Structure formats: C-alpha cells, structure tokens
Amino acid sequence: VMGAEPDYSYLHPRILADGQSLWDDVIEQYEAHSLRKAVVFVDSKKHGKDCKEKLNSHDISAAFIVSESTSSRSYSMDELDKKVLEEIKTKNRFESVSVLIAASVLDNGTNLIDKDITHLYISGTEYMAAVQQAGRVRMYEEGQTLELVIPRRATFRLESPNGIVRRIYSTSG
C-alpha cells in the first residue's frame, strides 16, 4: 500500500554559495534578525563541535547533541547540551538556545514542534537522510514556513530527479 506523498510546501529551499559555511550563514541570518531559532544537521561530530564553537564565539547560544551511547572523547555533551536534549525529549522543542546542532541522533523518531524555528540547515548529501532530517521539524500552525538551507556541494544529489529539493519545488507552487 502506497502512503500519501509527503508535503514539502512549507519548506523554502535556499542553496548556499560556494565556499559559504553553514555557521557563517547562521551568523548572518541571526544578525539580520531573520533567524529566531535554527536546527542544524551536521554529518560529523567534528563539524558539529566546530559549528557550536563558532556560533558561541559570536554570542549565539547553541547546543550540540549527540547520541548518549556514542558520546566519546571526540565530543562529550556539556550540561547545556544535556539540558537541551532533555527539553526535546519532554517537550518536543528546545528553549535554552537559539541554535540546535545535531548529528543523526534526531534523524528518526524525534519531532520538533516549535513555531519559532525559522531555519533548517542540512549539511549531508544523502537523500534519505535529508528527507528524515527535513521531517524532524513539524509545523506548529497553518501557514508556517521554514527556510531549508543546504550547501552547494549537496545539491547534485538532493536535486536529482526524485531528490528532496525537486520535490519541494514541485509542491511549493
């Protein structure tokens, strides 16, 4: 039995310029006051750690959550990260920071329902992971939109004929 086609009409995709990093865009959007809250999916603990440090150095509150079972010497969650993870588990939202950075820990089974999330950043290039990540942020109210930001290096896979970006464009008008 085929399920209903996913509706991506609430997503407004934007592709980063060559060489522009996710965190530089987060900083730019935050300073322009167009970003209230953001979710940033990264493809490695190193990338997540670097992103958090860069955002914190610009006085942007950020937490990087990883699976508690894979927390290791490469990255161990601090108290704020653990607090944000608990907020997500109990409230399906995060309140203590402006930017949530996550690895695959949020890919499946966790939904964020928060009208203040305005931006979703996906750094990976795998189609199924991007679909799962886009699906983590649920719309709080009718008419809410979300800016989906992906790096240019990811577009070759995500813009394929059945890729998420093409599907978004085809449902958004």
Side-chain angles (χ1 to χ4, degrees):
V1 174
M2 295 285 293
E5 277 296 311
D7 177 11
Y8 297 117
S9 61
Y10 63 95
L11 293 171
H12 294 244
R14 180 169 55 87
I15 299 169
L16 292 177
D18 284 331
Q20 186 176 18
S21 70
L22 293 176
W23 53 73
D24 287 338
D25 192 74
V26 171
I27 293 165
E28 183 180 307
Q29 298 303 315
Y30 186 83
E31 290 175 350
H33 303 288
S34 71
L35 181 150
R36 289 192 304 271
K37 284 186 181 177
V39 177
V40 179
F41 283 102
V42 294
D43 46 7
S44 72
K45 287 182 183 176
K46 179 179 179 358
H47 189 201
K49 181 181 171 190
D50 291 347
C51 186
K52 179 180 176 179
E53 289 172 0
K54 182 78 166 180
L55 295 176
N56 287 166
S57 75
H58 282 80
D59 295 322
I60 299 172
S61 60
F64 177 38
I65 61 171
V66 297
S67 170
E68 293 169 295
S69 64
T70 64
S71 207
S72 66
R73 282 184 277 162
S74 65
Y75 187 78
S76 183
M77 290 191 297
D78 62 26
E79 290 307 310
L80 179 60
D81 297 336
K82 291 175 184 175
K83 179 180 179 180
V84 169
L85 181 57
E86 189 60 29
E87 289 172 353
I88 292 166
K89 287 178 178 179
T90 59
K91 301 176 185 176
N92 288 339
R93 57 183 286 124
F94 54 97
E95 299 169 340
S96 300
V97 295
S98 297
V99 180
L100 171 65
I101 305 162
S104 61
V105 68
L106 283 184
D107 279 1
N108 289 305
T110 302
N111 297 320
L112 298 170
I113 305 167
D114 187 340
K115 66 181 179 184
D116 292 326
I117 298 173
T118 55
H119 291 72
L120 172 62
Y121 292 82
I122 296 177
S123 68
T125 60
E126 295 300 320
Y127 169 74
M128 286 309 296
V131 169
Q132 288 293 323
Q133 291 165 351
R136 296 310 94 213
V137 180
R138 302 299 171 112
M139 294 303 89
Y140 183 81
E141 56 194 24
E142 188 71 30
Q144 182 181 354
T145 60
L146 187 63
E147 187 164 339
L148 171 66
V149 184
I150 58 174
R152 176 148 319 274
R153 68 176 172 75
T155 59
F156 76 97
R157 286 207 178 148
L158 301 181
E159 278 192 318
S160 67
N162 292 317
I164 188 168
V165 172
R166 289 221 192 270
R167 288 179 179 216
I168 292 166
Y169 281 127
S170 69
T171 60
S172 62

